[in-house]
Amino acid sequence: MKLYNTRTRNIEQLRPLEDRHVRIYSCGPTVYDHAHIGNLSAYIFADTLRRVVAQAGYTVTHAMNYTDVDDKTIRRSRERYPDIEPREALHRLADEYITHFLEDMAAVGNDTSALTFLRATDPEVIKGMYELITQLHTKGFAYIAEDGVYFSIDAYRKSGKTYGQLLELTLQNTSEARIHNDEYDKESVHDFALWKKQKDGEPAWPFTLEDRDGRHDLSGRPGWHIECSVMSRQALGQPFDIHTGGVDLIFPHHENEIAQSTALETNPVMATIFAHNAHILVDGKKMSKSANNFYTLKDITDKGYDPLAFRLLVLQSHYRSQTNFTWESLEAAQNRLVKLRNWAALMYQDSTPAPEHTSRISRQTIGSAFREALENDLDTPQALASIADDVISVTDDPTGGLTSQQIKDSVEFIDEVLGLRLSEVQDITPEQKQLIADREAARIAKDWQKADELRKRLEKQKIELRDTPQHTIWYRTA
RNA sequence: GGCGCGUUGGCGGAGAGGUUACGCAGGGCUCUGCAAAAGCCCGUAGACCGGUUCAAGUCCGGUACGCGCCUCCA
């Protein structure tokens, strides 16, 4: 398994730190609103990565966080529940959007049962953040300011570690814009908040730190970056193998996570591989909440599209390429999905094995082209192409010379790795099978009128028929 | 201003120094009682300008345009 590593800017062989076990951490959602399809594409990437790593023979521990405390969750919770105690309001809002999130995840084929979820406001996590910040403070990597506790990048650098492990940070590309925006009491413009003191009406957790001036009451809430540092360590230990997220998280989020997580360690590596997915664009621009040019899954389903068509659309392009979302391309993906399902339905139907192909195409050989593509930096477009080449269109026989059992195996294998849920295609009922058999009999008797009538009855049940030289095939219409 | 990425056929989107990506849409043919699907074939893609090479979408340099990050962000 090879994967592009942002840290080294190279495609690298995956070498798990523990034998046959791969630990993955994926930056999850901030639960203040519905996820948009750009968010979902990042989770489709993470889910597919986990599937591919698992099928490559590793056991996988995959952790994801919920950011359930930040500026946006706080603001929204106060709007929504103005009369409720702030922490309770926050919790309610988060619960609500976590539910929506899990629904969306399932709808686009992400297996949430394979994930270990952590919440930033979980008491264990809060405790972990308190401990880490305290230690950072004790060791001189953090300092107390007017409005909170900040991480000192200068101290981190002086300890001999690199701030800027994922991208080249120069004075020019970081300071200029930040100087003008800087409204906080930081020692350096690069420094970032580990903990923020409570403001009016905001939820807060007890927090005290002691320095030479005495004990400071800093009750408030965590900074964004510290959440991921603590949750990843609690779920996976450190260092772990793969850290995923969108490219927009490279800086500052992941850079800051690395600094926090490694300041107290001898090993400067937080995770071996940092893997980042490129964005989905709308009209050639990045989709974002702030630009208000985003679509949610509901927008897609409202137009009658299948959420799994969106998954297929995402998988059709490489995760490191920007993808321009258009309704036309979603339509194309939906058509392709329907055709894949029609092929999957063949697993319930008799097929005539063509001996010269049966040995070539099987669960194992889907593997060679398919698996090879996926294990090469998760090349899902190539893998999908190999399905078409090797499986679906090998011979005149629509089954591709596969027995129904082999099709079933192939479909299940594809599902296992791509999560397209093709195997959920239902078999037809015995009654429907009888109708098909009756029509066959009518055709043999050249009773065309009866044959056509039976076909019409099936069409009303959303089943269409194809007569091939070998036999009659059914498939479902939407 | 700094750093990085991209520019492929009607649309989306890959791999790749010499041979079909793939999908969707379109045209033709075959098959078929009809139908539909499928199969086969087709449309002479590779931003622009130079260079390297026997050979370049594919490597190198430059130009133009677009995008991302540098601020919350998948």
Side-chain angles (χ1 to χ4, degrees):
Chain A
M1 172 90 209
K2 288 186 289 183
L3 204 58
Y4 181 84
N5 187 355
T6 306
R7 209 163 61 79
T8 58
R9 294 195 200 181
N10 269 309
I11 293 177
E12 294 181 357
Q13 194 66 38
L14 174 63
R15 292 196 173 78
L17 294 159
E18 291 179 359
D19 189 40
R20 309 310 294 169
H21 179 214
V22 175
R23 290 167 290 163
I24 306 175
Y25 182 83
S26 297
C27 279
T30 301
V31 283
Y32 73 107
D33 198 354
H34 291 277
H36 63 59
I37 60 174
N39 301 134
L40 290 173
S41 78
Y43 309 132
I44 290 171
F45 159 60
D47 179 74
T48 307
L49 174 63
R50 191 214 84 238
R51 289 166 182 273
V52 171
V53 171
Q55 84 79 35
Y58 301 102
T59 54
V60 181
T61 306
H62 189 185
M64 181 178 280
N65 69 289
Y66 294 122
T67 296
D68 59 354
V69 53
D70 81 322
D71 289 341
K72 283 177 285 203
T73 45
I74 290 170
R75 179 167 27 82
R76 186 66 68 92
S77 69
R78 291 176 71 189
E79 286 165 12
R80 184 87 50 101
Y81 306 109
D83 302 324
I84 295 180
E85 191 275 318
R87 267 171 64 174
E88 175 57 24
L90 192 64
H91 201 75
R92 271 199 211 181
L93 182 86
D95 280 352
E96 184 184 331
Y97 284 107
I98 285 171
T99 304
H100 292 309
F101 172 74
L102 291 172
E103 287 165 3
D104 286 353
M105 288 284 276
V108 297
N110 291 338
D111 183 1
T112 52
S113 73
L115 280 162
T116 305
F117 287 103
L118 293 93
R119 284 176 76 150
T121 59
D122 183 283
E124 269 306 297
V125 175
I126 295 279
K127 182 164 167 264
M129 292 190 285
Y130 179 78
E131 286 167 2
L132 178 56
I133 294 169
T134 303
Q135 286 174 50
L136 288 169
H137 179 67
T138 305
K139 301 282 183 184
F141 292 107
Y143 56 91
I144 301 168
E146 192 63 34
D147 56 350
V149 183
Y150 284 86
F151 185 87
S152 168
I153 288 167
D154 194 46
Y156 182 74
R157 284 186 162 144
K158 280 184 176 148
S159 77
K161 298 197 178 80
T162 306
Y163 182 76
Q165 294 186 22
L166 302 180
L167 79 170
E168 199 180 323
L169 288 168
T170 63
L171 215 60
Q172 287 95 327
N173 73 12
T174 55
S175 52
E176 197 167 325
R178 300 188 123 207
I179 281 166
H180 299 299
N181 285 333
D182 192 28
E183 52 191 62
Y184 295 109
D185 172 29
K186 305 182 211 175
E187 286 179 3
S188 158
V189 288
H190 302 280
D191 293 349
F192 53 90
L194 294 166
W195 189 264
K196 297 180 177 185
K197 275 174 79 173
Q198 181 181 26
K199 292 182 200 141
D200 273 351
E202 283 189 352
W205 287 260
F207 194 100
T208 57
L209 274 185
E210 202 170 313
D211 64 10
R212 58 185 178 279
D213 300 328
R215 197 148 190 91
H216 300 262
D217 179 6
L218 297 162
S219 293
R221 42 113 174 174
W224 176 38
H225 314 297
I226 198 76
E227 300 177 5
C228 283
S229 281
V230 169
M231 285 189 271
S232 63
R233 187 193 293 262
Q234 287 189 354
L236 304 173
Q238 188 181 301
F240 54 91
D241 299 297
I242 306 174
H243 194 315
T244 79
V247 287
D248 55 328
L249 297 186
I250 293 171
F251 188 87
H253 185 52
H254 289 169
E255 208 61 71
N256 292 350
E257 276 182 39
I258 291 170
Q260 295 163 338
S261 292
T262 61
L264 304 166
E265 307 292 326
T266 45
N267 184 357
V269 177
M270 179 192 187
T272 311
I273 293 178
F274 275 77
H276 295 102
N277 59 283
H279 291 287
I280 286 190
L281 308 179
V282 175
D283 299 326
K285 303 273 188 197
K286 176 180 160 182
M287 177 181 311
S288 74
K289 293 270 168 73
S290 49
N292 203 36
N293 64 339
F294 61 92
Y295 294 112
T296 63
L297 202 58
K298 186 170 183 300
D299 294 323
I300 282 176
T301 51
D302 282 353
K303 291 205 178 207
Y305 292 105
D306 191 313
L308 291 168
F310 175 68
R311 184 184 188 88
L312 183 56
L313 178 66
V314 170
L315 296 178
Q316 280 183 137
S317 67
H318 189 90
Y319 75 93
R320 285 194 289 119
S321 309
Q322 290 179 331
T323 305
N324 198 17
F325 176 84
T326 62
W327 293 107
E328 196 182 358
S329 60
L330 184 61
E331 174 86 27
Q334 172 109 336
N335 290 342
R336 187 181 197 176
L337 180 64
V338 167
K339 288 183 181 180
L340 284 169
R341 283 177 177 155
N342 290 346
W343 171 72
L346 294 172
M347 69 184 165
Y348 299 115
Q349 304 180 51
D350 296 333
S351 61
T352 319
E356 68 272 27
H357 293 299
T358 46
S359 61
R360 187 159 87 76
I361 301 156
S362 62
R363 191 183 178 92
Q364 290 76 42
T365 47
I366 271 204
S368 61
F370 188 74
R371 204 177 269 174
E372 212 171 283
L374 290 169
E375 292 187 13
N376 178 23
D377 195 23
L378 215 65
D379 193 344
T380 50
Q382 200 62 38
L384 285 165
S386 79
I387 294 177
D389 272 353
D390 289 354
V391 181
I392 295 178
S393 44
V394 156
T395 66
D396 299 353
D397 182 345
T399 62
L402 295 175
T403 63
S404 44
Q405 185 59 45
Q406 286 172 317
I407 288 175
K408 190 165 189 290
D409 287 348
S410 303
V411 166
E412 283 171 0
F413 180 59
I414 291 167
D415 274 359
E416 198 177 303
V417 185
L418 297 184
L420 288 169
R421 297 187 353 210
L422 300 175
S423 50
E424 288 179 17
V425 171
Q426 297 290 305
D427 197 359
I428 54 173
T429 64
E431 292 75 25
Q432 290 167 329
K433 283 182 181 165
Q434 188 57 50
L435 288 176
I436 292 173
D438 291 348
R439 176 171 171 274
E440 280 303 281
R443 287 179 71 222
I444 288 162
K446 296 198 190 299
D447 184 350
W448 310 126
Q449 199 181 338
K450 187 179 179 194
D452 289 350
E453 186 202 316
L454 289 167
R455 181 165 62 196
K456 276 214 171 100
R457 279 176 63 184
L458 283 161
E459 272 172 25
K460 281 180 187 159
Q461 299 172 37
K462 305 213 173 206
I463 289 164
E464 291 191 11
L465 301 180
R466 283 172 48 194
D467 298 323
T468 74
Q470 290 85 5
H471 49 274
T472 295
I473 285 169
W474 60 262
Y475 58 97
R476 292 177 183 280
T477 56

